[in-house]
């Protein structure tokens, strides 16, 4: 609702564990973005609100796995179609088209959570929480984020005027940040992959049976240059009819050098100028430092859905992993741990409480 109020366009957010994994407004998708958001087959059916959700989900597909969706406008049939083929736990919207509701009712064998909210509802100014008999109160976050926030004397350093697109992106980023739980902020640089990815991967043909979530992983390791590191080279090759040529270091530097107009929002001040230098640069070489890490212990309160989690953990020196287990892909996870000589413990115990 904040996004629509600020920008006047239908908006959607993909929440994971009460923080937004992706937030977007209804800006049309080009051919490349249609493919990256996995809605190219619906190009002629896309509506403003379905476009907003496709963008929100596509911002960070791995973090959006099992999301809860919030829409500013009525959920229509096209939006319901997109949701029906994604792993999602629920949706909240001001209204639902009858046919869209029928589609959503079939999801998760009828257990998909569908909530309707009064779009004019205003919560109380005072928020209250009770923990072990202790009552905590705080004023709700009613910060107004609009174009005025990014203009006038607030602009303290600039070499050129802010474009409309730049202001729009800053508003989306900052409103999303407003709803992040404290300490949930994470680097936003990987979101760049949604906007610009080498055509070698966007035009690649995946083998039949490769799942949508897995495709997101393959694109990610391609862009990050972690094939053969975070992901086994044979696993990579076996996912394609014909595996695309990998990016070289020079390819990646050239690609990143062409990126411009990226908006970055932070919920804390920048203590040193190297934060700004890092945002402007393509990245720092951490491989030598990371390669020296060993004996790291990793504890997770959820199962690991794909083996690339283990491959990545190994790159950070992880030798010991404990998790509840329970994934349909546990066999692959165990195989990955054996491959990396990682000790894996499945406790069967979930500690997370809502």
């Amino acid at each position: 609702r904040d996004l629509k109020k600020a920008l006047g366009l239908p908006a959607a957010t993909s929440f994971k564990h009460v923080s937004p994994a992706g937030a977007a407004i209804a800006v049309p998708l080009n051919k490349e973005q249609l493919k990256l958001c996995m809605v190219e087959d619906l190009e002629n059916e896309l509506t403003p609100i379905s476009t907003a959700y496709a963008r929100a989900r596509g911002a960070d597909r791995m973090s959006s796995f099992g999301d809860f969706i919030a829409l500013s406008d009525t959920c229509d049939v096209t939006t319901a179609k997109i949701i029906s083929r994604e792993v999602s736990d629920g949706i909240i919207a001001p209204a639902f088209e009858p046919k869209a509701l029928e589609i959503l009712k079939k999801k998760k064998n009828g257990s998909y959570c569908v909530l309707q909210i009064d779009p004019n509802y205003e919560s109380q100014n005072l928020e209250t929480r009770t923990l072990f008999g202790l009552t905590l109160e705080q004023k709700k976050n009613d910060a107004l984020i609009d174009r005025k926030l990014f203009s006038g004397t607030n602009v303290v350093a600039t070499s050129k005027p802010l474009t409309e697109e730049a202001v729009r992106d800053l508003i989306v980023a900052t409103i999303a940040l407003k709803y992040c739980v404290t300490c949930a902020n994470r680097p936003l640089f990987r979101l760049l992959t949604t906007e610009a990815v080498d055509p070698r991967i966007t035009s690649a043909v995946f083998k039949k049976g490769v799942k949508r979530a897995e495709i997101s992983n393959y694109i990610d390791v391609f862009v990050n240059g972690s094939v053969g590191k975070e992901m086994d080279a044979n696993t990579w090759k076996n996912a394609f009819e014909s595996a695309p040529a990998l990016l070289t270091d020079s390819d990646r530097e050239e690609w990143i050098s062409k990126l411009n107009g990226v908006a970055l929002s932070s919920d804390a001040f920048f203590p040193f100028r190297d934060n700004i230098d890092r945002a402007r640069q393509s990245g720092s070489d951490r491989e030598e430092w990371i390669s020296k890490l060993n004996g790291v212990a990793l504890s997770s309160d959820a199962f690991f859905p794909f083996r690339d989690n283990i491959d990545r953990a190994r790159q950070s020196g992880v030798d010991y992993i404990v998790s509840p287990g329970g994934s349909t892909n546990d066999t692959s996870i165990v195989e990955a741990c054996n491959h990396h000589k990682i000790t894996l413990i499945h406790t069967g115990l979930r500690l997370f409480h809502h």
Side-chain angles (χ1 to χ4, degrees):
R1 185 171 67 173
D2 280 13
L3 286 171
K4 185 174 183 179
K5 183 177 181 180
L7 295 165
L9 292 171
T13 303
S14 171
F15 282 92
K16 191 65 180 289
H17 298 311
V18 306
S19 288
I25 55 174
V27 175
L29 297 160
N30 62 33
K31 293 289 185 182
E32 184 180 62
Q33 293 165 347
L34 285 166
K35 189 174 183 65
L36 291 170
C37 291
M38 300 186 182
V39 291
E40 65 271 26
D41 59 322
L42 297 173
E43 179 179 5
N44 297 325
E45 300 179 38
L46 286 175
T47 58
I49 190 62
S50 62
T51 298
Y53 178 63
R55 278 185 170 277
R57 179 82 185 202
D60 189 344
R61 295 189 64 83
M62 286 190 287
S63 292
S64 287
F65 190 87
D67 66 350
F68 206 102
I69 302 158
L71 304 180
S72 67
D73 289 39
T74 299
C75 178
D76 57 25
V77 171
T78 306
T79 307
K81 284 182 180 179
I82 296 173
I83 296 170
S84 69
R85 58 194 190 183
E86 302 290 3
V87 177
S88 175
D89 286 342
I91 180 174
I92 185 168
F96 297 84
E97 290 183 355
K99 290 184 179 179
L101 192 57
E102 289 303 313
I103 292 173
L104 296 176
K105 283 181 179 179
K106 298 176 183 177
K107 191 169 177 64
K108 296 185 71 173
N109 296 319
S111 64
Y112 189 65
C113 184
V114 179
L115 303 176
Q116 183 172 345
I117 189 172
D118 178 359
N120 298 315
Y121 173 77
E122 293 291 342
S123 62
Q124 295 181 354
N125 286 327
L126 194 64
E127 296 178 337
T128 303
R129 297 289 186 275
T130 301
L131 300 172
F132 291 95
L134 177 66
T135 299
L136 305 176
E137 295 180 340
Q138 66 175 6
K139 183 177 180 293
K140 74 174 183 181
N141 185 351
D142 56 359
L144 178 62
I145 298 167
D146 57 16
R147 287 176 171 81
K148 293 180 181 179
L149 189 63
F150 308 99
S151 63
T153 56
N154 283 1
V155 181
V156 296
T158 183
S159 60
K160 54 186 176 182
L162 277 171
T163 64
E164 178 64 21
E165 290 78 12
V167 173
R168 178 197 68 197
D169 291 349
L170 286 166
I171 290 173
V172 172
T174 307
I175 289 178
L177 190 64
K178 174 182 175 180
Y179 290 96
C180 277
V181 174
T182 302
C183 298
N185 305 329
R186 58 185 181 276
L188 300 181
F189 298 109
R190 69 184 307 277
L191 304 188
L192 300 173
T193 58
T194 302
E195 295 298 328
V197 177
D198 191 276
R200 276 173 280 189
I201 189 66
T202 58
S203 61
V205 179
F206 289 89
K207 288 183 178 178
K208 187 176 181 180
V210 177
K211 298 177 181 178
R212 295 169 67 83
E214 292 173 326
I215 290 175
S216 298
N217 292 339
Y218 288 119
I219 293 174
D220 207 53
V221 297
F222 173 86
V223 172
N224 291 334
S226 50
V227 176
K229 301 173 185 177
E230 294 181 15
M231 177 177 286
D232 179 73
N234 288 329
T235 301
W236 163 264
K237 292 177 182 178
N238 290 336
F240 301 88
E241 294 295 341
S242 178
L246 299 176
L247 291 172
T248 63
D249 290 341
S250 59
D251 288 336
R252 191 171 295 101
E253 288 178 7
E254 180 182 0
W255 169 68
I256 293 176
S257 69
K258 294 177 180 177
L259 290 172
N260 280 293
V262 178
L264 172 64
S265 181
S266 174
D267 196 28
F269 61 78
F270 294 106
F272 305 108
R273 68 161 288 154
D274 68 306
N275 301 117
I276 307 304
D277 295 335
R278 171 62 186 88
R280 182 64 258 174
Q281 294 168 357
S282 62
S284 59
D285 184 4
R286 298 170 294 173
E287 290 185 3
E288 181 179 354
W289 176 76
I290 293 177
S291 67
K292 297 176 182 178
L293 288 174
N294 278 293
V296 177
L298 170 65
S299 180
S300 174
D301 199 31
F303 61 70
F304 294 96
F306 305 108
R307 72 158 286 157
D308 68 310
N309 302 120
I310 308 302
D311 297 331
R312 179 62 187 86
R314 180 57 232 161
Q315 290 300 305
S316 293
V318 171
D319 285 325
Y320 313 97
I321 298 176
V322 58
S323 81
S327 167
T328 56
N329 209 26
D330 271 352
T331 299
S332 176
I333 301 304
V334 171
E335 290 174 354
C337 287
N338 286 331
H339 174 78
H340 292 296
K341 298 181 180 179
I342 292 175
T343 300
L344 171 68
I345 302 98
H346 280 168
T347 64
L349 177 66
R350 285 300 308 272
L351 302 173
F352 183 77
H353 287 234
H354 291 279

